[in-house]
Amino acid sequence: MQRYAQPPAIFFDLDGTLVDSAADLGAACDYLRTQRGLPPLGTAAYRPAASAGARGLLHVAFGVQPTDAEFEPLRLAFLQHYEAHLADNTYAFDGIAELLTGLAERGIAWGIITNKSIELTRVLVSRMPLLQSAAAVVGGNSAAAPKPDAAPMQLAGQLAGVDIRQCWFVGDDLRDIQAARNADMALAIAAGWGYAPAAEVSAWQADAVLQQPQAILTLLA
């Protein structure tokens, strides 16, 4: 495996990369379904859409698009229920704790860049001690535009006090790879342990596709 110069920081997407939040996201959708007399679909149905936010999740739950009249009321109801339960069954993926420890031992900072709203992101981080050592936390509404725009990446670099162009980004969605490229980051890594199917991940043309978090450490020269 090719090795790369040690970056000053490595940034990560949140849902599907650092944490597995599919159960809580799916539960919020199923709560809305049961309120409307529909049977729950279960976590497995929502997992492939868990990185797509309310847009993707509500499409699975109700077949709606953002342009549909019923979408916005559903989105608001979804967010209200999700915020109250967003850490009930959300956990760091296996290997994330060891990865963050390894980065700290090497003097490499780390941060979060997600398209989840900064308000929800802060609530989740506050409930997960493992995430509280982040040098920067950037949400989907923190910058002028969300990923795949470069703006969140550039803001994260400023908050962490690093040159974002020297940093790596790890994510489980095509937008993550595109955002890293748009910000001219040194490395764009696909999290193969996330929610996207393997065939889809391989088409993103990431610099590396890894199947477990600790493998990031093996890329360091």
Side-chain angles (χ1 to χ4, degrees):
M1 181 177 290
Q2 185 175 350
R3 293 176 180 268
Y4 302 87
Q6 178 169 308
I10 299 178
F11 294 92
F12 300 87
D13 177 51
L14 185 57
D15 301 278
T17 302
L18 287 174
V19 302
D20 187 349
S21 54
D24 286 329
L25 290 165
C29 287
D30 275 346
Y31 171 77
L32 298 184
R33 282 180 59 86
T34 57
Q35 276 194 322
R36 289 156 178 77
L38 300 170
L41 299 178
T43 301
Y46 296 106
R47 186 171 292 275
S51 287
R55 171 182 53 82
L57 292 160
L58 292 174
H59 181 71
V60 172
F62 298 102
V64 296
Q65 302 286 353
T67 52
D68 296 334
E70 61 266 41
F71 177 81
E72 188 60 15
L74 283 170
R75 187 185 73 87
L76 294 175
F78 164 79
L79 291 175
Q80 182 178 22
H81 184 81
Y82 175 64
E83 182 173 3
H85 299 277
L86 84 180
D88 288 1
N89 291 287
T90 290
Y91 308 98
F93 281 103
D94 289 342
I96 290 296
E98 293 81 1
L99 168 61
L100 298 183
T101 296
L103 295 181
E105 290 172 347
R106 291 163 174 79
I108 301 173
W110 72 277
I112 297 168
I113 309 174
T114 175
N115 275 3
K116 186 193 290 289
S117 75
I118 189 61
E119 294 81 11
L120 289 176
T121 300
R122 285 173 176 157
V123 173
L124 183 57
V125 169
S126 74
R127 297 183 188 177
M128 298 187 70
L130 180 65
L131 303 182
Q132 292 169 16
S133 61
V137 178
V138 171
N141 55 338
S142 295
K147 296 177 294 183
D149 197 272
M153 328 306 269
Q154 293 161 348
L155 175 59
Q158 294 167 9
L159 293 174
V162 295
D163 182 348
I164 197 66
R165 295 169 298 178
Q166 297 176 1
C167 299
W168 300 0
F169 191 70
V170 185
D172 71 307
D173 191 272
L174 174 59
R175 293 173 302 184
D176 296 320
I177 306 306
Q178 293 171 331
R181 295 269 161 72
N182 289 337
D184 198 26
M185 296 180 72
L187 216 61
I189 300 169
W193 63 87
Y195 300 133
E200 186 177 319
V201 175
S202 64
W204 297 345
Q205 298 183 322
D207 295 307
V209 178
L210 304 180
Q211 300 306 318
Q212 56 182 359
Q214 303 100 308
I216 292 170
L217 300 175
T218 68
L219 296 179
L220 295 166

